[in-house]
Amino acid sequence: MAHSDSEPAGEGGQGELAAYRLRRERELSSLYATARSLTVLGEVDEVLPSIVREAHELIGSDFVYLSLRDTGGALTLSASAGTISPEFSSARMPAGAGLGGWVIETRAPVWVSDYRRADGFHRDPVFDRLVFDEGLVALLGVPLLVGDRVIGVLFAADRTERPFEKDEVALLSAFADHAAIALNNARLYDESRVALQRLRDAYRVIEDQVATMERAAAVHEALTHVVLTGGGPGDIAQSLVDHLEGVVTIRDRDDEVVATRSSGAGAGEDAGLERELLAEARRTGRCVHGEGADGTVLSVAAIQPGGSHLGSLSLRRRAATESADVRMLERSAQITGLLALLRDARVEAEERVRGELLTELLSHPPLQPVHPALRDRALARGVDVDRLDVLVTADCPDRSTADVVRELHASSAESSGLAGEYLGRATLLLRADDPEAAVRTLHQRLRRRLGTPVLVVADRITGHDRAHSYTLAVRCLDVMRSLGETDRGATTRRYAMYGLVFDPRRAQELEGFVTDSLGPLLDYDRRRSTDLVSTVAAYFTHSGNLSRAAHALHVHTNTLLKRLDRITTLLGTDWRSADSALRLHLAVRLHQLRDVLDGRG
């Protein structure tokens, strides 16, 4: 039988408990050191062997291997550590089959103590033969998750029958989470390197073509100067106007004008003609021309490096467009596209680095000093980690987390902070003397830029415990949404009355308050499968109006009266008095909010 979790180990004496704690400390220390070592690797070919090698040393099993999913969903062995036959190293598991298929389907760890007798999953005869020939008996598989997507499975295997302890499963799962991030970063690194090489190749092609034409040489020199000096679309438009005359307009992918320059020789606009010419330019990939109603010639070139539409470049003038001018426009459009790609690559790389710094800070133990290397990397970007004393998280159901993070990055640059996605949430660390004012300003900006309602929550970090502030902010945001808030910026302090719910450190206080106030009702509901707590909630929500409360509960008024009589029997006759009702109503509301946050509501 396959297992999605392990059985708890039996309790031992004090010595065994101390040994267990020491072993867990060593494992966690090793996991932390291993995760840090993975972050410094750059290429996928370096990351894959390192993952299995470190996992093999961390878990101590006979054999560790990592299989990645291909485009068809099948698992292909990509790296391994431990003794292995050549046949097994080329193993391939069809989509949905084997232990790996179960791990991918459930997105959770799965283990078997004896693969030969295990059931509950679809077997593949070819792979089963390889497993039997290899002598593998006990197998544990954990998913490699990037966001909501499973990119592969990390396996640990032993050649003897044994169960996998809960601690082993948790340790390999935690390692797999770090490994998935490292592997995804390596993939992004490879893609960035390939994209940069493509940009360099495209630039060399442009340079060779421009060098063959005498007139274009001057334009090429001017455009090269723009690239080398970090210029933008306005500089490119000015260079074209200087050599070709007329009116040059550059638009972005949203058809918004980003730069326009004129030599005074142009004429009026014709938006309809420009749209028609741009559509043809995008289809053909060449500069196209048309004559306007005023007799001017409009030439339009699409900016679409690598097939991605990034905008357009147009020239309007009274003179006919010669072939050399066409080549200049086309090359200018290509260089404008390269500049846009380089700009996007720089922004993306910087945002990724800042997001990594954010993740490291939020994952850093609060009582340990920040590592000097991490501090230096942040200072290189103008960020003093010791001054980041406010944590902000934002949620916008109508837009993706990536869109929200992109806007937070713009705000982080202005406040010398760090933004990124952490545990699926758009998160920002910044310095603010007044968190209330900061979160209101940030909410207004996000609301305006995203064009849709957004919830923003800020929490003042105390004792460098950034992870706790993150938990408070996220749970407070969920409380706000449960209370019906959809568009607001606030601090956790504004919702202090719900602190018992969203502060995990006060869970015991919350449990005590709810038990003292609702204990008899909760016990009765559990024993009799009734819903007296919801009845009390509806009664208070509708201010004691029996008709409305009964309607909300979908019961007859007589049924409601019987329930209220039962509640009176359990709580006493004074439960509806002013003081008792206030306490009871608050307990019911906190109980409901806790259920919502814990996924039971």
Side-chain angles (χ1 to χ4, degrees):
M1 179 179 178
H3 305 264
S4 60
D5 205 342
S6 60
E7 297 296 329
E11 296 183 358
Q14 293 297 324
E16 293 180 355
L17 181 57
Y20 169 79
R21 289 178 175 173
L22 181 61
R23 176 169 62 85
R24 289 294 294 153
E25 290 176 357
R26 287 198 302 266
E27 289 174 344
L28 293 176
S29 176
S30 177
L31 174 63
Y32 178 68
T34 299
R36 287 185 56 81
S37 67
L38 287 178
T39 61
V40 303
L41 299 177
E43 301 181 2
V44 173
D45 291 340
E46 294 177 344
V47 172
L48 285 172
S50 178
I51 289 174
V52 296
R53 184 174 61 254
E54 298 289 357
H56 187 246
E57 295 178 3
L58 190 65
I59 299 300
S61 58
D62 294 336
F63 178 45
V64 172
Y65 65 101
L66 186 150
S67 295
L68 295 179
R69 299 180 73 186
D70 59 21
T71 54
L75 285 172
T76 303
L77 195 147
S78 303
S80 63
T83 307
I84 183 177
S85 64
E87 292 79 11
F88 196 88
S89 64
S90 60
R92 183 177 182 273
M93 177 65 72
L99 204 66
W102 195 353
V103 172
I104 293 172
E105 180 181 355
T106 61
R107 299 186 181 184
V110 176
W111 63 266
V112 295
S113 58
D114 189 342
Y115 183 85
R116 294 166 296 185
R117 297 195 297 269
D119 56 16
F121 57 90
H122 176 68
R123 289 182 175 274
D124 178 71
V126 176
F127 185 79
D128 281 359
R129 181 180 58 80
L130 292 174
V131 171
F132 298 153
D133 292 345
E134 195 67 23
L136 302 181
V137 179
L139 271 76
L140 164 63
V142 297
L144 294 171
L145 288 166
V146 176
D148 294 330
R149 183 168 53 93
V150 181
I151 65 172
V153 180
L154 181 63
F155 294 93
D158 281 314
R159 292 185 168 89
T160 57
E161 181 178 350
R162 76 174 186 91
F164 286 91
E165 299 295 336
K166 182 179 296 184
D167 291 345
E168 293 177 291
V169 177
L171 186 63
L172 190 62
S173 297
F175 178 82
D177 291 340
H178 290 293
I181 294 173
L183 189 59
N184 191 52
N185 288 343
R187 179 185 61 79
L188 294 174
Y189 172 79
D190 286 349
E191 291 176 355
S192 299
R193 187 178 57 180
V194 170
L196 180 59
Q197 186 59 46
R198 289 176 179 172
L199 292 177
R200 290 172 176 168
D201 293 343
Y203 183 80
R204 282 195 294 269
V205 171
I206 294 172
E207 187 177 29
D208 292 342
Q209 292 176 343
V210 173
T212 61
M213 296 176 286
E214 180 179 357
R215 184 182 178 190
V219 177
H220 171 67
E221 182 179 354
L223 295 177
T224 301
H225 179 74
V226 171
V227 174
L228 295 178
T229 56
D235 301 302
I236 292 178
Q238 187 60 53
S239 297
L240 290 174
V241 165
D242 292 342
H243 293 87
L244 301 180
E245 297 187 344
V247 178
V248 175
T249 302
I250 299 177
R251 299 178 182 272
D252 61 16
R253 56 169 61 90
D254 298 321
D255 202 31
E256 297 291 334
V257 175
V258 295
T260 181
R261 299 290 187 273
S262 173
S263 65
E269 297 183 358
D270 191 339
L273 175 63
E274 188 170 354
R275 283 194 297 269
E276 292 177 7
L277 296 179
L278 176 57
E280 184 178 352
R282 293 185 62 180
R283 181 178 58 82
T284 63
R286 304 301 304 270
C287 181
V288 295
H289 320 280
E291 184 174 341
D294 58 357
T296 58
V297 177
L298 178 64
S299 303
V300 179
I303 302 173
Q304 47 187 19
S308 300
H309 179 63
L310 300 181
S312 64
L313 185 151
S314 65
L315 169 67
R316 182 185 295 275
R317 64 181 184 176
R318 297 193 178 278
T321 306
E322 301 177 0
S323 59
D325 300 337
V326 172
R327 287 192 291 272
M328 289 184 199
L329 291 173
E330 291 178 344
R331 289 165 188 155
S332 298
Q334 289 176 320
I335 290 181
T336 304
L338 294 179
L339 287 175
L341 287 177
L342 288 172
R343 180 198 63 219
D344 292 346
R346 286 195 300 268
V347 171
E348 182 180 350
E350 181 62 22
E351 289 179 352
R352 185 166 61 249
V353 170
R354 287 178 173 267
E356 291 169 356
L357 290 172
L358 172 83
T359 299
E360 291 187 50
L361 282 175
L362 291 178
S363 304
H364 193 278
L367 298 181
Q368 295 182 12
V370 176
H371 194 279
L374 174 59
R375 191 185 302 279
D376 291 343
R377 286 163 55 203
L379 285 175
R381 288 161 177 81
V383 178
D384 185 349
V385 297
D386 293 324
R387 292 177 60 84
L388 301 178
D389 58 355
V390 174
L391 183 139
V392 178
T393 186
D395 179 56
C396 181
D398 296 334
R399 302 294 292 271
S400 68
T401 302
D403 289 339
V404 182
V405 169
R406 191 174 299 112
E407 297 302 332
L408 289 182
H409 274 298
S411 299
S412 71
E414 298 173 2
S415 60
S416 298
L418 295 172
E421 181 177 342
Y422 183 71
L423 300 181
R425 300 277 191 160
T427 308
L428 169 67
L429 286 173
L430 74 160
R431 163 68 177 168
D433 295 328
D434 186 352
E436 292 280 358
V439 75
R440 285 196 300 269
T441 301
L442 184 60
H443 169 258
Q444 293 171 0
R445 174 172 183 164
L446 291 177
R447 182 67 171 81
R448 183 176 64 257
R449 297 294 298 271
L450 296 173
T452 186
V454 59
L455 283 180
V456 187
V457 177
D459 184 70
R460 171 75 75 182
I461 300 171
T462 57
H464 300 291
D465 197 347
R466 305 174 187 88
H468 182 59
S469 285
Y470 171 82
T471 300
L472 292 181
V474 167
R475 290 175 67 87
C476 181
L477 190 148
D478 292 340
V479 166
M480 291 171 63
R481 195 166 292 286
S482 298
L483 294 173
E485 297 280 6
T486 59
D487 190 20
R488 189 177 183 186
T491 63
T492 55
R493 186 169 174 268
R494 287 288 180 183
Y495 287 82
M497 68 173 295
Y498 298 102
L500 286 175
V501 176
F502 63 73
D503 189 346
R505 295 177 178 177
R506 303 184 65 185
Q508 190 171 359
E509 295 180 50
L510 175 60
E511 182 63 30
F513 177 68
V514 171
T515 300
D516 290 344
S517 304
L518 300 176
L521 299 185
L522 293 170
D523 291 340
Y524 190 89
D525 283 346
R526 277 192 293 267
R527 286 186 287 105
R528 302 295 184 89
S529 298
T530 55
D531 207 1
L532 297 183
V533 173
S534 296
T535 301
V536 173
Y539 178 80
F540 285 133
T541 299
H542 296 283
S543 304
N545 187 296
L546 299 181
S547 177
R548 290 200 298 267
H551 180 75
L553 292 168
H554 305 289
V555 298
H556 193 273
T557 305
N558 291 337
T559 302
L560 175 61
L561 289 172
K562 292 179 180 179
R563 290 187 183 182
L564 294 177
D565 288 341
R566 176 59 60 184
I567 292 169
T568 300
T569 302
L570 293 171
L571 299 182
T573 57
D574 66 338
W575 69 274
R576 281 182 274 195
S577 64
D579 293 339
S580 298
L582 176 61
R583 177 184 177 86
L584 191 60
H585 193 184
L586 180 59
V588 168
R589 196 69 185 101
L590 294 179
H591 172 68
Q592 290 178 324
L593 289 174
R594 179 179 62 177
D595 282 353
V596 170
L597 292 184
D598 294 343
R600 298 191 296 265

